[in-house]
Amino acid sequence: MGGLTVFSALRRRLPGEDLLYLGDTARLPYGTKGSETIIRYALQATEKLVERRIKLLVVACNTATAIALPALQEAYAHLPVIGVVEPGAQAACEASRTGRILVLGTESTIRNQAYTRAIQALRPEARVTGISCSLFVSLAEEGWMDGPVMEAAAARYLAPVLGLPPATRPDCLVLACTHFPPLAPAIRAVLSFPLAVVDSAETTARAVESRLAGQGLFNPAPRNVFHFLTTDAPERFARVAGYFLSGPLAPESLELVVL
Amino acid sequence: MGGLTVFSALRRRLPGEDLLYLGDTARLPYGTKGSETIIRYALQATEKLVERRIKLLVVACNTATAIALPALQEAYAHLPVIGVVEPGAQAACEASRTGRILVLGTESTIRNQAYTRAIQALRPEARVTGISCSLFVSLAEEGWMDGPVMEAAAARYLAPVLGLPPATRPDCLVLACTHFPPLAPAIRAVLSFPLAVVDSAETTARAVESRLAGQGLFNPAPRNVFHFLTTDAPERFARVAGYFLSGPLAPESLELVVL
């Protein structure tokens, strides 16, 4: 579901492209699952999209990117495959002055340390602190973006950072899960010190734009055609999508597929 | 994972039986998924257990029981299949004096109204209030059984009940999700008025015992052999199982299977 934040950014930036979105709702969340399972699911989902002749694949999930991107790039060597980790890491390196960067993500993304590696590839001196915040995913899907539950969860997850002396606080926060952008105001309020907030949605959309342009695949004429595939209950998908997209989903743009 | 609360009750009550547990961790949670998906998953999981020649099946999940029990009983007509809803409903009817019963469960269980039907089949005059508490599942799996996050979530979910005049308050609470028993003290503290708390674990174990005895399948000699199948990352299963079972899981009793 969180991938819809990336979808929104793509829709805004690339109004000429046909967007085909697959939400693997029958097996979500990925963030608490093991690597082999995540790779298997990502390959199955990609197969379904390749059948529909996509020209470029965006892995709009930090967990799937962190765990499965190499497997996808190997399996589909002729398809441009763009993940959300590298654009996010690049944006963080640009936004941070001190190089102290806080990364909030799912259990699998944080354990895998994909962001730490991607950030330190660009800024070897960077100090990356990763905190896994599994409950934020459920909070976003429940639509509880603010209020006492969200605040209490943020205070608990962020306690190690809140206890830091001012001189060693991070100056940049990476929302390393596509579910987290709607939670940013609440996270910011709990942290209470100034820091730049980076999410991968905008930066990924920019990376897609430049890749399309570079390969001569870019379609500048406004069309704004999009279609959603969901692997489980379409009515729930439509409801939760409402928390992430501005405006409801047209039922005819939603299709059930089985993986 | 929550089915482990039922497993614990079965292990205590039926020390002579070999227990084979399947946790479909690659696709959990079921509680936010659609009916067709839940039925498909339950049939696949049962097939895997039937291959290992079980003599009785316990559907140790309220969502799977509420949605898939008829399909399982039809597909495996010669296998005794016991769900958690009927034993829980029976216990609630025995525990409630006023017939006002509060049922907390997952989104799918509550929407399906299986508890309301099962309770009113026994006590037609009963007034059943169902509240879906999806976030409780994640809280139990995160190990946050108490503290400010759990309290804030309980206060938010239970607000409609907290606002009731004393005369119309429920006098019985059904924990209609196998994840919820470890959360009972926190839920009780938020409700702050006296009520009987019923979970399906103990009552299901009693139902299994009497079914085994009735069919001459009961094995009274203590053996306590058990084996766990998990469809995803065994190390996570072992860790989360620690929140539900008393004592850690022996690695050799845990096996990965793919559904």
Side-chain angles (χ1 to χ4, degrees):
Chain A
M1 298 306 302
L4 291 168
T5 58
V6 179
F7 170 86
S8 295
L10 287 167
R11 186 172 61 173
R12 278 192 306 272
R13 182 165 283 268
L14 300 166
E17 307 301 335
D18 294 357
L19 299 179
L20 176 63
Y21 183 95
L22 189 152
D24 189 8
T25 47
R27 307 190 291 198
L28 64 78
Y30 281 17
T32 50
K33 294 191 173 127
S35 298
E36 283 173 46
T37 300
I38 292 164
I39 291 171
R40 182 159 52 91
Y41 289 176
L43 286 168
Q44 289 170 347
T46 302
E47 185 58 35
K48 196 58 92 179
L49 292 165
V50 165
E51 279 172 15
R52 307 219 177 185
R53 299 200 261 168
I54 53 171
K55 66 180 177 183
L56 180 144
L57 174 70
V58 179
V59 186
C61 168
N62 284 272
T63 300
T65 301
I67 312 293
L69 192 66
L72 292 173
Q73 288 174 328
E74 197 189 336
Y76 297 94
H78 299 291
L79 183 72
V81 179
I82 293 183
V84 288
V85 172
E86 250 181 74
Q90 201 178 335
C93 289
E94 287 161 15
S96 174
R97 203 177 43 78
T98 63
R100 278 189 292 275
I101 296 169
L102 173 63
V103 178
L104 305 183
T106 64
E107 188 183 322
S108 298
T109 300
I110 297 301
R111 196 180 46 222
N112 170 278
Q113 298 207 301
Y115 271 91
T116 307
R117 286 195 304 276
I119 289 169
Q120 290 180 341
L122 298 167
R123 281 182 72 166
E125 89 293 1
R127 295 199 170 193
V128 182
T129 304
I131 300 180
S132 84
C133 306
S134 300
L135 208 72
F136 283 178
V137 175
S138 318
L139 283 163
E141 298 209 347
E142 193 75 340
W144 290 5
M145 317 303 195
D146 49 29
V149 186
M150 177 60 207
E151 281 162 29
R156 183 150 180 180
Y157 282 129
L158 298 169
V161 177
L162 293 169
L164 290 174
T168 62
R169 284 175 183 159
D171 73 342
C172 176
L173 163 65
V174 181
L175 301 175
C177 172
T178 52
H179 280 83
F180 296 178
L183 310 175
I187 294 170
R188 236 184 221 288
V190 166
L191 283 174
S192 79
F193 52 84
L195 81 183
V197 176
V198 164
D199 76 69
S200 337
E202 280 306 327
T203 48
T204 299
R206 276 205 296 277
V208 171
E209 185 181 34
S210 79
R211 178 73 78 93
L212 288 177
Q215 304 204 345
L217 294 169
F218 181 58
N219 185 359
R223 277 173 50 98
N224 241 332
V225 171
F226 38 84
H227 193 68
F228 297 92
L229 308 177
T230 176
T231 59
D232 186 40
E235 68 287 354
R236 181 175 153 89
F237 183 92
R239 172 167 58 80
V240 179
Y243 303 140
F244 287 97
L245 301 174
S246 44
L249 223 59
E252 67 274 16
S253 66
L254 188 52
E255 180 187 342
L256 181 68
V257 295
V258 175
L259 289 186
Chain B
M1 299 305 302
L4 292 167
T5 58
V6 180
F7 171 86
S8 295
L10 286 167
R11 187 172 61 174
R12 279 192 305 272
R13 181 165 283 269
L14 301 166
E17 306 301 334
D18 294 357
L19 299 178
L20 176 64
Y21 183 96
L22 188 151
D24 189 9
T25 47
R27 307 189 291 197
L28 66 76
Y30 281 18
T32 49
K33 295 191 173 127
S35 299
E36 282 173 46
T37 301
I38 292 164
I39 291 171
R40 181 159 52 93
Y41 289 176
L43 286 168
Q44 288 169 347
T46 302
E47 185 58 36
K48 196 58 91 179
L49 292 165
V50 166
E51 278 172 15
R52 306 218 177 184
R53 297 200 259 168
I54 53 171
K55 66 180 177 184
L56 180 145
L57 174 71
V58 180
V59 185
C61 168
N62 284 273
T63 301
T65 300
I67 312 293
L69 192 67
L72 293 173
Q73 288 174 328
E74 194 188 338
Y76 297 93
H78 298 293
L79 183 71
V81 179
I82 293 181
V84 288
V85 172
E86 250 181 75
Q90 201 178 334
C93 290
E94 287 162 16
S96 174
R97 203 176 45 76
T98 63
R100 278 190 292 275
I101 297 170
L102 173 63
V103 178
L104 305 184
T106 64
E107 188 183 322
S108 298
T109 299
I110 297 302
R111 196 180 47 222
N112 172 278
Q113 299 207 300
Y115 271 92
T116 306
R117 287 195 304 275
I119 288 169
Q120 290 180 341
L122 298 167
R123 280 182 74 166
E125 89 292 3
R127 295 197 172 197
V128 182
T129 305
I131 300 179
S132 84
C133 307
S134 300
L135 208 73
F136 284 177
V137 175
S138 317
L139 284 162
E141 298 207 348
E142 192 75 339
W144 291 4
M145 316 303 195
D146 50 29
V149 186
M150 176 59 208
E151 280 161 30
R156 184 152 179 178
Y157 282 130
L158 297 170
V161 177
L162 293 169
L164 289 174
T168 61
R169 283 175 183 158
D171 73 342
C172 176
L173 164 65
V174 182
L175 301 175
C177 172
T178 52
H179 280 82
F180 295 178
L183 310 176
I187 294 169
R188 234 185 222 288
V190 166
L191 282 174
S192 80
F193 52 85
L195 81 184
V197 177
V198 164
D199 77 68
S200 337
E202 280 305 328
T203 48
T204 299
R206 276 205 296 276
V208 172
E209 185 180 34
S210 78
R211 178 73 79 93
L212 288 177
Q215 304 204 345
L217 293 170
F218 181 57
N219 185 358
R223 279 174 47 99
N224 240 333
V225 171
F226 37 84
H227 192 69
F228 296 91
L229 308 177
T230 176
T231 59
D232 186 40
E235 68 287 356
R236 181 176 153 89
F237 183 92
R239 171 167 59 79
V240 179
Y243 304 139
F244 287 95
L245 302 174
S246 43
L249 223 60
E252 66 274 16
S253 68
L254 188 52
E255 180 187 341
L256 180 68
V257 295
V258 175
L259 289 186

